[in-house]
């Protein structure tokens, strides 16, 4: 089976209450949560998973204190690329902090779950602030539903709950199956402290459209991954390659 490497590209850090990630747990505690995009290396095309956002948008749109790490253009330049070089953007979901730079990839097809796209254009008021329709204009969407093979060894896995059409991205690497979770979480969602583990093996994402679906998706993704990549965990800030 063909194998790949994943290159984490951190763009900013924003101050977020841990309760946003950890349902009914650690409210009031703050985390400087990174926002990443992820480049899949050694493919026949230039593939990004999500495109992140910038610190200015985090503050102006959502009011989160934020600090820049590098721009989207600088992140791609570190790999010898420009936004127009990207052939395919896989959107795990369409919350603003995962797609704010997608329009810059002018030559890219944008792979998204069809239910996620439908919801993004008409979100429920409870989660409406997580979506920004202006970021989705004129994108070259390719709609998928359910499990989907992107390339040999790269698979989309449904992971609904955090949002209706969230999808994880499983990538075969030289050290096993790495899974970019597809929903907003940190490592503690998958490896909770002992007092939580007495009741349940994982912690549901703190924001969701369906709490039971979110729980089941978190548990399922944990079970299939050799290498877990929670999408906002700070531990990937200094990681240049997975594996």
């Amino acid at each position: 089976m063909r194998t790949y490497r994943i290159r984490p590209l951190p763009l900013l850090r924003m101050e977020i209450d841990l309760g946003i990630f950890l349902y009914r747990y650690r409210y009031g505690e703050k985390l400087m949560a990174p926002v990443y995009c992820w480049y899949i290396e050694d493919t026949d095309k230039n593939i990004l998973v999500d495109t992140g956002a910038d610190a200015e948008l985090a503050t102006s749109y959502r009011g989160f204190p934020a600090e820049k790490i590098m721009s989207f253009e600088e992140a791609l330049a570190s790999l010898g690329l420009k936004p127009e070089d990207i052939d395919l953007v896989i959107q795990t979901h369409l919350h603003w902090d995962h797609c704010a730079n997608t329009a810059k990839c002018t030559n890219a097809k944008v792979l998204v779950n069809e239910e996620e796209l439908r919801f993004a254009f008409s979100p429920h008021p409870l989660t409406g602030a997580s979506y920004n329709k202006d970021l989705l204009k004129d994108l070259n969407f390719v709609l998928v539903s359910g499990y989907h093979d992107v390339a040999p060894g790269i698979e989309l896995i449904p992971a609904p709950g955090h949002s209706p059409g969230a999808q994880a991205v499983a990538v075969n690497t030289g050290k096993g199956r790495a899974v970019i979770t597809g929903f907003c979480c940190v490592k503690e969602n998958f490896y909770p402290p002992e007092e939580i583990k007495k009741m349940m093996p994982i912690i549901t994402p703190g924001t969701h459209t369906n709490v039971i679906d979110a729980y089941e998706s978190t548990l399922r993704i944990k079970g299939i991954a050799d290498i877990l990549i929670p999408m906002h965990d700070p531990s990937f800030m200094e990681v240049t390659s997975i594996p």
Side-chain angles (χ1 to χ4, degrees):
M1 178 69 74
R2 188 168 178 178
T3 61
Y4 309 90
R5 293 194 299 165
I6 301 170
R7 303 291 295 271
L9 299 172
L11 304 182
L12 71 138
R13 299 194 308 162
M14 54 186 178
E15 184 181 279
I16 292 183
D17 194 289
L18 271 169
I20 289 178
F21 297 119
L22 304 170
Y23 178 53
R24 301 180 69 180
Y25 188 61
R26 298 187 71 176
Y27 291 111
E29 298 181 45
K30 303 297 182 182
L31 173 72
M32 289 301 290
V35 172
Y36 302 90
C37 53
W38 316 82
Y39 181 72
I40 303 178
E41 198 167 61
D42 303 320
T43 67
D44 298 327
K45 297 181 178 181
N46 291 317
I47 300 176
L48 275 181
V49 178
D50 290 347
T51 62
D54 60 52
E56 182 179 355
L57 183 64
T59 301
S60 64
Y61 179 62
R62 292 292 284 121
F64 295 134
E67 58 185 38
K68 175 184 175 180
I69 299 172
M70 55 183 166
S71 70
F72 182 64
E73 291 81 359
E74 290 167 341
L76 291 181
S78 72
L79 303 176
L81 297 170
K82 298 177 181 178
E84 57 265 32
D85 295 328
I86 300 303
D87 300 302
L88 180 66
V89 175
I90 301 171
Q91 292 290 169
T92 61
H93 59 297
L94 292 173
H95 287 176
W96 67 272
D97 55 320
H98 293 262
C99 65
N101 292 304
T102 303
K104 297 177 181 179
C105 302
T106 52
N107 294 315
K109 293 181 178 180
V110 181
L111 207 58
V112 67
N113 177 277
E114 61 181 342
E115 187 174 356
E116 181 70 11
L117 183 62
R118 184 165 52 249
F119 189 83
F121 277 102
S122 184
H124 191 280
L126 283 173
T127 60
S130 296
Y131 294 94
N132 184 332
K133 287 180 280 189
D134 289 340
L135 301 175
L136 308 178
K137 293 179 178 178
D138 302 320
L139 299 183
N140 185 12
F141 286 115
V142 176
L143 303 184
V144 297
S145 180
Y147 290 84
H148 179 80
D149 290 325
V150 178
I154 303 174
E155 182 185 17
L156 303 184
I157 298 170
H162 174 63
S163 70
Q167 51 191 359
V169 184
V171 179
N172 285 347
T173 74
K175 294 188 178 178
R177 193 185 207 191
V179 181
I180 301 171
T181 58
F183 47 85
C184 296
C185 57
V186 293
K187 283 188 175 179
E188 197 167 356
N189 289 90
F190 301 92
Y191 305 106
E194 288 301 321
E195 65 266 24
I196 300 295
K197 287 172 66 176
K198 292 176 183 177
M199 298 179 285
M200 61 189 74
I202 54 91
I203 300 176
T204 304
T207 55
H208 40 260
T209 55
N210 185 305
V211 66
I212 294 176
D213 285 350
Y215 177 94
E216 297 298 335
S217 291
T218 305
L219 190 62
R220 183 171 65 257
I221 295 304
K222 181 180 181 179
I224 66 173
D226 299 308
I227 303 169
L228 262 173
I229 306 176
M231 299 196 75
H232 289 288
D233 199 87
S235 63
F236 299 100
M237 286 278 294
E238 306 299 327
V239 174
T240 59
S241 178
I242 305 168

